[in-house]
Amino acid sequence: MKDINNYISTNKDRFINELIDLLKIPSISADPAYSKDVLETAKAVKKSLDDAGCENTEICETKGYPVVYGDKIIDPNLPTVLVYGHYDVQPPDPINLWDSPPFEPIIKKTELHPDGAIFARGACDDKGQFFMHVKAVEYMIKNNTLPCNVKFMIEGEEEVGSDSLEDFLKENSEKLKNDIILISDTGMITNDTPSITTGLRGLSYVEVEVTGANRDLHSGIYGGAAPNPINVLAKMIAELHDENNHITIPGFYDKVEVISDEERAEMAKAPFDLEEYKKALDIDDVHGEKGYSTSERFGIRPTLDVNGIWGGYMGEGAKTVIASKAYAKISMRLVPDQDWHEITDLFTKHFKSLAPKSVKVKVTPHHGGQAYVTPIESIGYQAASKAMETTFGKTPVPQRTGGSIPIVALFENVFDSKTILLGFGLDSDAIHSPNEHFGVWNFLKGIETIPYFYKYYTEMKA
Amino acid sequence: MKDINNYISTNKDRFINELIDLLKIPSISADPAYSKDVLETAKAVKKSLDDAGCENTEICETKGYPVVYGDKIIDPNLPTVLVYGHYDVQPPDPINLWDSPPFEPIIKKTELHPDGAIFARGACDDKGQFFMHVKAVEYMIKNNTLPCNVKFMIEGEEEVGSDSLEDFLKENSEKLKNDIILISDTGMITNDTPSITTGLRGLSYVEVEVTGANRDLHSGIYGGAAPNPINVLAKMIAELHDENNHITIPGFYDKVEVISDEERAEMAKAPFDLEEYKKALDIDDVHGEKGYSTSERFGIRPTLDVNGIWGGYMGEGAKTVIASKAYAKISMRLVPDQDWHEITDLFTKHFKSLAPKSVKVKVTPHHGGQAYVTPIESIGYQAASKAMETTFGKTPVPQRTGGSIPIVALFENVFDSKTILLGFGLDSDAIHSPNEHFGVWNFLKGIETIPYFYKYYTEMKA
């Protein structure tokens, strides 16, 4: 397996250029204006699988954007790894905060990435990360070192809730059958402290609309007498947390997994520097639930955040208007044993109960997903840990992170397979933010590490 | 004076077409993209004064948009009426709620305007209303019935706070010298219940910015731990009112004019139908300060309203982001004896004190103005009342309204003149809202009524 390093040395410029070509296509699934680009990206992904030596490659239609499939079956008796990733990206807004255009990738050095990082929307989330798998599999196929079977399933709706995926999995459960699912769509602690994600939070994402009068009103004539939906919405949002930043939705915490003091003490050993954290975000204080540390707040506790709010006059200057409507997008990150459908219902009921009689409230669920935990005693986790140890020279730390990949819980239901979350990005890579990037070192380290996972997993499984 | 009706009958189509031409120019002072249109409107206004027979017409430069001046001095010993109006308009957003384009005026019949109403931004506020004066003066000049002197001062920054007007008044106090100021920039109760505005609220308008982290963050990774400026802003806005909808800013009510129970009882006699009010706005309940009626809430009490709010992801679909910044535009309507500079300071201090340590807060004052009251025993009021009685057949009701014309208090300071607020629009004419309109009947009734004001005022003043 040592020749993986030679293969990377010889081909790294091509790897990077191929990724850059992929990053140039603005595959923004949230915005229908980019639907042609999303479809074009699917084609480019299929071609990359063909080029890597995969077989049975296919752009599989769904009700939404297609899933790109490809496989390499060397022996039906050997284990099968299913690689999942997504080729769609987040919208780049606010676009004016990007230092370079989000779909014109450039490589720049940063403090944390002295070998350079590729700056582009999707660089880390998830084009750069799933493409490591394409290149690692290319290496194994071209050098006859693939020790087991591999299937790829790269979807185009992850950033908008993977709406079509459940049906796709169920309709193609035989074709997608696998022993383990491998995903790189998370991060690790630092380049010196490799980690494997063992817990993901669930998600419930809703949009709310508060309506006052049937039209925008003059604030002089109506101010103080007619309902102002912005003031009302602000008050309703404020009432979703109490003075200790606990969420006030009745029943919200009922099913939250109780973590023992011992386990909390064990987790608290993971390296975390609060001063560095505050400095990196340029904040004077953190802000979260009373009684929990910062790592616990994003690791093991459910949260509620407003992701967007709008209403009334947002232009330059002043307009003395009382808006007819105000809107917010609100998401809740959930922890194991909270059911996102139930939480969405609890939120809806509670939010509506907060409204005064003077307004009308509409709550529209966008999407959601269940939380997930990977057992560290599983073969999959052990193989991934050993692979990272081989290439990083350090045993990775198991880590629960705050993000959500709603389909992971779904995979377990449909395939009865565990998922290994082997990510190589860093939290500071600004995914979902302006100036998203992915370290060149991380990209190549991922390509180097992945083949060892296949080797150890096949050996341990034998 | 009876020939005013003949003059209107003969010329009404021309009057309406001239107004329509003026309404076609998008003179949006709040948006610098329309500065050429604002200036073009000033030229059109000057030409209308020339055409009406005014002299000394001039586009007077200021630091901002120009003031259009014109006069007709028939005898320096006779009284002088100064007509004030504004040729700038509010932005038309939300533009998608207009049934016809805001700058393509059309005439349509409505329930309240069976003779038709002109639909366009600025139709009522204030192009249609100041243009009544231009046409009334045209009639008086052309028919040699002008009984006193008249000066016009039509500005272009009313909708953005009349920033240049104070300097302009002071620098031109001799030229603008007058005995009474006449303004049509308010409304009346209904076409059957004429009214004259005797009270205007003051205004303080600010913009606030709440900053959390130095960049947008992924809500999964940071949610619950980093400050969310939208949640924080919502909470801060909510805290500006208590559970009785009183404003919580310390000192806010200290100087509010105390109105006796007798006076409140007198005001309560003005016709007001709460059920009709709710029905017209399509709301199930009103929303305001405990202990005050709806008319009192907008008539004699100060209020605080959020006029716009924005932050985070506002596009289609879902984006799991924690915004770096959230913004709101907030205005306070003030009553007599509250000083808007002092209130702006009190707001700023209090708002900043509400912020948790995890965020940074910036408050930018936009503009403001003092409240004003016209004494009903003044000659100006009596002349206006008699003029309306002559053309409507009913004595008009004196009425305090919730709107603000910040420069009215300024006029009293600079000229020592009282202001008569003789408006012919209706509250339902949707000024500052989509589908603003002005009844053709109201437009012509204004032109008919104004010459009587000149006649009675000159007679009473003699």
Side-chain angles (χ1 to χ4, degrees):
Chain A
M1 192 74 79
K2 269 177 260 158
D3 52 352
I4 175 70
N5 295 90
N6 294 334
Y7 193 77
I8 291 173
S9 299
T10 313
N11 293 288
K12 65 180 179 184
D13 289 346
R14 174 173 62 82
F15 292 171
I16 292 166
N17 288 331
E18 286 172 1
L19 173 57
I20 283 176
D21 284 344
L22 207 55
L23 291 169
K24 284 180 182 167
I25 322 174
S27 50
I28 306 163
S29 51
D31 188 341
Y34 292 89
S35 61
K36 255 181 76 178
D37 300 293
V38 180
L39 296 172
E40 197 194 322
T41 310
K43 284 185 204 159
V45 172
K46 179 185 180 296
K47 184 173 180 303
S48 77
L49 293 178
D50 286 328
D51 294 347
C54 287
E55 291 162 1
N56 303 309
T57 60
E58 184 186 348
I59 292 176
C60 310
E61 295 307 322
T62 70
K63 266 180 285 179
Y65 287 120
V67 176
V68 183
Y69 177 85
D71 63 30
K72 182 74 181 182
I73 309 298
I74 58 167
D75 179 348
N77 296 317
L78 284 169
T80 299
V81 176
L82 176 66
V83 175
Y84 165 84
H86 63 93
Y87 62 83
D88 64 322
V89 301
Q90 280 277 315
D93 348 36
I95 204 130
N96 58 322
L97 296 182
W98 284 76
D99 295 330
S100 57
F103 299 105
E104 297 175 22
I106 58 160
I107 297 178
K108 283 190 297 190
K109 290 181 184 181
T110 73
E111 204 185 316
L112 291 177
H113 296 298
D115 294 344
I118 304 168
F119 282 77
R121 170 57 84 228
C124 184
D125 178 18
D126 181 46
K127 285 174 176 171
Q129 293 223 79
F130 88 70
F131 202 63
M132 298 181 309
H133 291 269
V134 180
K135 294 298 105 180
V137 167
E138 171 192 308
Y139 156 74
M140 291 186 281
I141 294 175
K142 306 246 151 133
N143 293 275
N144 288 312
T145 58
L146 183 66
C148 62
N149 306 310
V150 59
K151 294 174 178 174
F152 279 93
M153 172 175 72
I154 313 296
E155 71 148 320
E157 297 185 314
E158 200 272 344
E159 300 293 3
V160 288
S162 303
D163 278 344
S164 313
L165 204 65
E166 184 162 0
D167 284 349
F168 180 77
L169 296 184
K170 288 179 176 164
E171 286 159 17
N172 296 279
S173 60
E174 196 50 41
K175 171 168 157 178
L176 297 168
K177 212 170 154 225
N178 63 77
D179 297 281
I180 189 91
I181 295 157
L182 186 59
I183 304 180
S184 296
D185 196 17
T186 49
M188 53 182 194
I189 295 172
T190 67
N191 287 357
D192 286 333
T193 315
S195 59
I196 296 172
T197 301
T198 55
L200 287 171
R201 289 198 284 189
L203 180 73
S204 166
Y205 197 114
V206 301
E207 185 162 324
V208 300
E209 176 190 294
V210 176
T211 304
N214 50 3
R215 58 190 162 91
D216 284 6
L217 301 173
H218 185 293
S219 74
I221 297 171
Y222 291 95
N228 180 326
I230 303 179
N231 285 77
V232 170
L233 175 61
K235 188 154 182 284
M236 292 169 75
I237 289 170
E239 289 176 355
L240 294 172
H241 290 94
D242 69 13
E243 67 283 8
N244 294 318
N245 264 307
H246 293 301
I247 294 159
T248 56
I249 301 167
F252 185 82
Y253 292 102
D254 283 1
K255 295 190 179 162
V256 167
E257 178 197 35
V258 178
I259 297 184
S260 67
D261 289 349
E262 292 74 25
E263 211 171 336
R264 285 175 68 182
E266 193 55 39
M267 286 174 179
K269 291 180 186 161
F272 182 79
D273 184 329
L274 187 62
E275 288 312 310
E276 272 305 311
Y277 184 86
K278 291 198 289 188
K279 204 179 128 196
L281 299 180
D282 191 19
I283 53 177
D284 291 332
D285 200 1
V286 291
H287 194 102
E289 192 183 5
K290 201 174 167 179
Y292 294 90
S293 72
T294 292
S295 314
E296 288 175 337
R297 284 169 177 173
F298 61 71
I300 61 168
R301 294 297 294 174
T303 56
L304 182 151
D305 273 293
V306 182
N307 303 108
I309 192 165
W310 68 102
Y313 186 62
M314 296 174 263
E316 274 203 61
K319 188 177 176 202
T320 47
V321 69
I322 294 181
S324 167
K325 286 174 187 286
Y327 304 84
K329 293 182 195 265
I330 299 176
S331 67
M332 288 156 283
R333 297 284 172 170
L334 309 176
V335 297
D337 302 340
Q338 284 184 299
D339 177 79
W340 79 268
H341 300 285
E342 189 186 340
I343 292 293
T344 305
D345 288 346
L346 290 175
F347 172 88
T348 303
K349 206 174 135 192
H350 181 59
F351 195 73
K352 287 186 172 175
S353 79
L354 296 175
K357 202 181 145 199
S358 57
V359 300
K360 294 172 189 74
V361 173
K362 201 165 98 183
V363 177
T364 310
H366 263 308
H367 65 274
Q370 311 294 24
Y372 180 76
V373 173
T374 305
I376 60 173
E377 57 276 12
S378 65
I379 290 179
Y381 183 84
Q382 293 298 326
S385 179
K386 202 172 164 190
M388 270 196 149
E389 204 180 312
T390 305
T391 57
F392 285 79
K394 279 182 188 171
T395 310
V397 178
Q399 195 198 26
R400 288 208 189 177
T401 72
S404 306
I405 312 183
I407 36 67
V408 172
L410 184 65
F411 290 160
E412 181 153 342
N413 280 345
V414 176
F415 300 122
D416 201 23
S417 305
K418 286 288 165 193
T419 294
I420 304 303
L421 298 162
L422 188 67
F424 295 89
L426 301 182
D427 279 0
S428 51
D429 286 348
I431 68 167
H432 291 211
S433 296
N435 303 314
E436 176 178 350
H437 55 283
F438 188 32
V440 170
W441 184 89
N442 301 65
F443 176 59
L444 300 176
K445 202 60 164 179
I447 299 171
E448 181 191 346
T449 305
I450 291 162
Y452 287 101
F453 172 81
Y454 284 76
K455 173 176 150 63
Y456 298 135
Y457 181 72
T458 310
E459 287 171 6
M460 290 178 185
K461 188 83 180 166
Chain B
M1 192 74 78
K2 268 177 258 156
D3 52 352
I4 175 70
N5 295 90
N6 294 334
Y7 193 76
I8 291 172
S9 298
T10 313
N11 293 286
K12 66 179 179 183
D13 289 345
R14 174 172 62 82
F15 293 171
I16 292 166
N17 287 331
E18 285 172 0
L19 174 57
I20 283 176
D21 283 343
L22 208 55
L23 291 169
K24 283 182 182 167
I25 322 176
S27 50
I28 307 164
S29 50
D31 188 340
Y34 293 87
S35 60
K36 255 180 76 176
D37 299 295
V38 181
L39 297 172
E40 196 194 322
T41 310
K43 284 186 205 159
V45 172
K46 179 186 180 294
K47 184 173 180 300
S48 77
L49 294 178
D50 285 328
D51 294 347
C54 287
E55 290 163 1
N56 303 308
T57 60
E58 184 185 349
I59 292 177
C60 310
E61 295 306 320
T62 71
K63 268 180 287 180
Y65 287 119
V67 175
V68 183
Y69 177 85
D71 63 31
K72 182 73 182 182
I73 308 297
I74 57 167
D75 179 348
N77 296 316
L78 284 169
T80 299
V81 176
L82 175 65
V83 176
Y84 165 84
H86 63 93
Y87 62 83
D88 64 323
V89 301
Q90 280 277 314
D93 345 41
I95 204 132
N96 59 318
L97 295 184
W98 284 77
D99 294 331
S100 58
F103 299 103
E104 297 174 23
I106 58 161
I107 297 177
K108 282 189 298 190
K109 290 181 183 179
T110 73
E111 204 185 315
L112 292 176
H113 297 297
D115 293 344
I118 305 168
F119 282 77
R121 171 55 85 228
C124 184
D125 178 18
D126 181 47
K127 285 174 175 170
Q129 293 223 80
F130 86 71
F131 202 64
M132 296 180 310
H133 291 269
V134 179
K135 295 296 106 180
V137 167
E138 170 193 308
Y139 156 75
M140 291 185 283
I141 293 175
K142 306 243 151 139
N143 293 277
N144 289 312
T145 58
L146 183 66
C148 62
N149 306 310
V150 59
K151 296 175 179 175
F152 279 92
M153 172 175 71
I154 313 295
E155 72 149 320
E157 298 185 313
E158 199 271 345
E159 300 292 5
V160 290
S162 302
D163 279 344
S164 311
L165 203 66
E166 184 161 0
D167 284 349
F168 179 78
L169 296 186
K170 288 179 177 165
E171 286 159 18
N172 297 278
S173 58
E174 196 49 41
K175 171 168 158 178
L176 298 168
K177 214 171 151 224
N178 62 77
D179 297 280
I180 189 90
I181 296 158
L182 186 59
I183 305 180
S184 296
D185 196 17
T186 48
M188 54 181 193
I189 296 172
T190 65
N191 287 357
D192 285 333
T193 316
S195 60
I196 296 173
T197 301
T198 55
L200 286 171
R201 289 198 286 190
L203 180 73
S204 166
Y205 198 113
V206 300
E207 185 162 325
V208 300
E209 176 191 293
V210 176
T211 305
N214 49 4
R215 59 190 162 88
D216 285 5
L217 301 173
H218 186 293
S219 74
I221 297 172
Y222 291 94
N228 181 327
I230 302 179
N231 285 80
V232 170
L233 174 60
K235 190 155 179 284
M236 292 168 74
I237 289 170
E239 287 175 358
L240 294 172
H241 289 93
D242 70 12
E243 67 282 9
N244 294 320
N245 265 307
H246 293 303
I247 294 159
T248 57
I249 301 167
F252 185 83
Y253 292 102
D254 283 2
K255 296 190 180 163
V256 167
E257 179 197 33
V258 178
I259 296 183
S260 66
D261 288 348
E262 292 73 26
E263 211 171 338
R264 284 175 70 182
E266 194 56 38
M267 286 174 179
K269 291 180 186 160
F272 182 79
D273 183 331
L274 188 61
E275 288 311 310
E276 271 306 310
Y277 185 85
K278 293 198 287 187
K279 202 179 131 198
L281 299 179
D282 191 19
I283 53 176
D284 290 333
D285 200 3
V286 291
H287 194 104
E289 190 183 6
K290 202 174 164 176
Y292 294 91
S293 72
T294 292
S295 314
E296 287 175 337
R297 284 169 177 173
F298 62 70
I300 61 168
R301 294 297 292 171
T303 56
L304 182 152
D305 273 294
V306 182
N307 303 108
I309 192 166
W310 67 103
Y313 186 64
M314 296 173 262
E316 274 205 59
K319 188 175 178 205
T320 48
V321 69
I322 294 182
S324 167
K325 287 175 186 288
Y327 304 84
K329 293 184 194 265
I330 299 176
S331 67
M332 287 156 284
R333 297 284 172 170
L334 309 177
V335 296
D337 302 341
Q338 285 184 299
D339 177 78
W340 79 269
H341 300 284
E342 188 187 342
I343 292 292
T344 305
D345 288 345
L346 291 176
F347 173 88
T348 303
K349 206 172 135 194
H350 180 60
F351 195 72
K352 287 184 174 178
S353 79
L354 296 176
K357 204 182 142 198
S358 55
V359 300
K360 294 171 188 73
V361 174
K362 202 165 98 184
V363 178
T364 309
H366 264 308
H367 65 273
Q370 310 295 25
Y372 180 76
V373 175
T374 304
I376 59 174
E377 58 275 16
S378 65
I379 290 179
Y381 183 85
Q382 293 298 326
S385 179
K386 200 171 165 191
M388 269 196 152
E389 205 180 311
T390 305
T391 56
F392 285 78
K394 280 181 189 174
T395 309
V397 178
Q399 193 198 28
R400 290 209 188 177
T401 72
S404 305
I405 311 181
I407 36 66
V408 172
L410 184 64
F411 290 159
E412 179 150 344
N413 280 345
V414 175
F415 299 121
D416 201 23
S417 306
K418 288 287 166 193
T419 295
I420 303 304
L421 298 161
L422 188 66
F424 295 88
L426 302 183
D427 280 0
S428 53
D429 285 347
I431 68 169
H432 291 210
S433 298
N435 303 314
E436 176 178 349
H437 55 281
F438 187 34
V440 170
W441 184 89
N442 301 65
F443 175 59
L444 300 176
K445 201 65 165 177
I447 300 171
E448 180 190 346
T449 305
I450 290 163
Y452 288 101
F453 171 81
Y454 284 76
K455 171 175 153 62
Y456 298 135
Y457 179 72
T458 309
E459 288 170 6
M460 291 180 186
K461 189 83 182 165

